[in-house]
Amino acid sequence: MQKTIIDSGPLIALFDKSDRYHESVLAFIKTFQGRLITSWAVLTEVSHMLDFNLNVQIDFLKWIELGGVSVYEISQREISAIRTMMEKYNDIPMDLADGTLMYIANQENIRTIVSIDSDFDIYRTLKKQSLNNLLKGH
């Protein structure tokens, strides 16, 4: 089963029907065959952006509970690797959520992402590879 990391933007769009990417993300999720992986930093960012409606936040958390995405556990000892990446891309800048996703991509050898963020066109893995954004063309 293909592992793919997912950024906060598509998750926000999925649960915010007024988001301009809502329909395209919904269509993608309905047809995606694989396993979506994200981080607690992304989940926190999504919950914050969905704060306009507590019921929407609860629906998002229920979806996570049901396995809509897998949450990759990052330990305290792994933070230095994320910080190093954030320092490398500080001119863009890379935030914590993006840093955790690139860390997961490196750790799990994942080369695909679902994102509406163009920063992932710039970021590279430790092997100097770019990620293939599966939302392009949707």
Side-chain angles (χ1 to χ4, degrees), residues 66-84:
L66 293 171
V69 298
S70 297
V71 182
Y72 188 91
E73 295 292 332
I74 295 173
S75 70
Q76 186 172 356
R77 65 179 167 69
E78 296 169 291
I79 292 173
S80 65
I82 295 165
R83 178 190 44 79
T84 300

Side-chain angles (χ1 to χ4, degrees), residues 40-58:
W40 276 106
V42 169
L43 297 185
T44 301
E45 195 170 81
V46 172
S47 293
H48 174 72
M49 296 304 293
L50 296 176
D51 71 351
F52 60 86
N53 186 319
L54 182 60
N55 289 327
V56 173
Q57 286 181 333
I58 291 169

Side-chain angles (χ1 to χ4, degrees), residues 5-27:
I5 53 177
I6 187 165
D7 193 15
S8 57
L11 293 173
I12 294 164
L14 185 61
F15 285 87
D16 180 356
K17 292 179 180 168
S18 68
D19 190 288
R20 70 181 185 150
Y21 295 102
H22 175 75
E23 291 300 324
S24 61
V25 171
L26 183 60

